[in-house]
């Protein structure tokens, strides 16, 4: 997996928490930073014995996340490892180093779809159609296996190259849930945890109602709109009239994290 360039809007010279990691019987040297989030940083990792072998190492600080976040991290790893689809970034494995969990991922050299949107502003219909088709193919695969993503957005979608015809990869399952029970139109499995990203979350998520796998389709529709128009739907006058509802949704997501964190010493009280 050669790496030419990873288009990100963050500094790439920041040092990782440690210089090397032992995984899969080999030593991996951490190189340039590819991106970062609130609780994680992603570095390119090069195999010392086989320099042509390169992966992305997502380093997560467990001390910075809530009890619910820790439980969700376990779910993320279990779900992600079971997935095998051309438009889902592969999770090869994971290790724990002290208070850090490191996920070893397929290296996508084209950067985030979000960055590509900033560069191009709008996409031709044929390009947007191709990317959304790839996304929906991956979403259908997830839903067939009872997995609901719950946080589809351009920041969680990577491109496999810098080419104009690059393929898309879903690359984050931090909010994913494995639905229990029969998943069908007649007997849908429901979720209730407040999660997702404002602007891409479905109305029922924002209203803090029970929701099901179709929330992922709403998010995909918003992404299609952004690709074609270059504008975000939350900038519309109609969306601004729902500012209070949006604020309540954001507060609910934050409150859920605080409740889970306060219950870290009492596992039986953790939020589902």
């Amino acid at each position: 997996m050669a790496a030419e360039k990873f288009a990100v809007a963050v500094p790439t010279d920041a040092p990782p928490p440690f210089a090397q990691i032992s995984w899969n019987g080999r030593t991996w040297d951490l190189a340039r930073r590819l991106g970062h989030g609130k609780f994680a940083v992603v570095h390119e990792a090069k195999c010392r014995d086989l320099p042509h072998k390169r992966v992305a190492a997502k380093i997560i600080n467990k001390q910075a996340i809530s009890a619910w976040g820790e439980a969700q991290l376990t779910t993320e790893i279990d779900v992600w490892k079971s997935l095998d689809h051309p438009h889902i970034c592969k999770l090869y494995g994971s290790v724990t180093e002290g208070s850090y969990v490191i996920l070893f991922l397929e290296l996508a050299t084209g950067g985030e779809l979000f960055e590509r949107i900033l560069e191009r502003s709008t996409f031709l219909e044929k390009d947007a159609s191709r990317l959304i088709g790839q996304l929906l193919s991956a979403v259908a695969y997830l839903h067939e296996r009872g997995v609901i993503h719950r946080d589809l957005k351009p920041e969680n979608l990577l491109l496999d190259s810098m080419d104009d015809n690059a393929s898309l990869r879903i690359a984050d399952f931090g909010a994913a849930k494995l639905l229990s029970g029969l998943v069908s139109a007649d007997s849908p499995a429901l979720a209730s945890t407040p999660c997702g990203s404002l602007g891409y979350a479905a109305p029922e998520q924002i209203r803090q109602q029970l929701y099901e796998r179709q929330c992922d389709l709403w998010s995909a529709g918003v992404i299609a709109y952004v690709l074609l128009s270059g504008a975000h739907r939350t900038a519309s006058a109609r969306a601004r009239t729902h500012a209070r509802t949006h604020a309540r949704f954001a507060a609910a997501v934050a409150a859920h994290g605080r409740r889970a964190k306060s219950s870290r010493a009492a596992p039986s009280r953790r939020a589902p």
Side-chain angles (χ1 to χ4, degrees):
M1 289 178 241
E4 290 77 31
K5 179 181 178 184
F6 202 104
V8 292
V10 298
T12 57
D13 56 352
F18 23 75
Q20 61 189 43
I21 307 170
S22 296
W23 169 67
N24 205 23
R26 299 186 183 277
T27 299
W28 298 77
D29 295 312
L30 297 184
R32 62 198 175 112
R33 186 166 73 167
L34 304 177
H36 75 289
K38 190 173 183 181
F39 306 116
V41 62
V42 181
H43 281 265
E44 181 181 347
K46 303 177 182 179
C47 182
R48 184 172 296 180
D49 299 331
L50 302 169
H52 65 284
K53 292 286 188 181
R54 302 183 182 187
V55 298
K58 181 177 181 180
I59 304 168
I60 303 162
N61 185 356
K62 292 192 297 181
Q63 292 183 337
I65 60 179
S66 67
W68 180 83
E70 277 196 57
Q72 188 61 28
L73 177 59
T74 301
T75 299
E76 177 180 13
I77 293 172
D78 291 343
V79 169
W80 205 342
K81 285 174 65 175
S82 70
L83 303 176
D84 185 12
H85 187 275
H87 298 299
I88 295 176
C89 192
K90 289 181 174 57
L91 172 61
Y92 298 124
S94 63
V95 296
T96 299
E97 291 279 352
S99 62
Y100 294 94
V101 174
I102 302 98
L103 308 185
F104 290 89
L105 308 168
E106 176 184 4
L107 181 62
T109 61
E112 296 177 358
L113 178 61
F114 177 77
E115 294 295 329
R116 196 67 62 93
I117 291 171
L118 293 181
E119 293 173 4
R120 296 181 56 170
S121 183
T122 60
F123 284 67
L124 295 175
E125 186 174 334
K126 65 179 182 65
D127 293 330
S129 176
R130 176 178 55 82
L131 291 172
I132 294 302
Q134 294 172 357
L135 175 59
L136 292 178
S137 173
V139 169
Y141 171 87
L142 294 176
H143 291 178
E144 288 170 359
R145 283 153 183 77
V147 177
I148 181 172
H149 188 278
R150 302 198 290 186
D151 196 22
L152 291 175
K153 57 183 177 179
E155 293 90 333
N156 286 341
L157 304 176
L158 298 182
L159 299 170
D160 69 349
S161 75
M162 297 300 297
D163 297 339
D164 289 340
N165 63 345
S167 292
L168 175 148
R169 304 281 193 278
I170 298 178
D172 192 296
F173 286 84
K177 178 179 177 62
L178 184 61
L179 297 171
S180 59
L182 181 63
V183 180
S184 68
D186 297 329
S187 180
L190 301 175
S192 60
T193 300
C195 60
S197 297
L198 188 61
Y200 297 93
E204 54 269 32
Q205 289 176 283
I206 293 175
R207 294 170 186 150
Q208 301 174 56
Q209 300 170 340
L210 291 176
Y211 56 90
E212 49 185 301
R213 55 183 178 170
Q214 279 78 1
C215 69
D216 289 341
L217 301 182
W218 173 278
S219 301
V222 177
I223 294 170
Y225 178 88
V226 172
L227 291 177
L228 291 169
S229 69
H232 199 286
R233 67 177 299 277
T234 56
S236 68
R238 180 179 181 276
R240 286 196 294 271
T241 65
H242 298 293
R244 290 184 179 179
T245 302
H246 291 171
R248 285 196 295 269
F249 168 72
V253 173
H256 179 76
R258 288 194 298 270
R259 286 195 301 270
K261 192 168 187 177
S262 67
S263 64
R264 186 184 293 273
S268 63
R269 293 172 52 204
R270 290 181 183 177

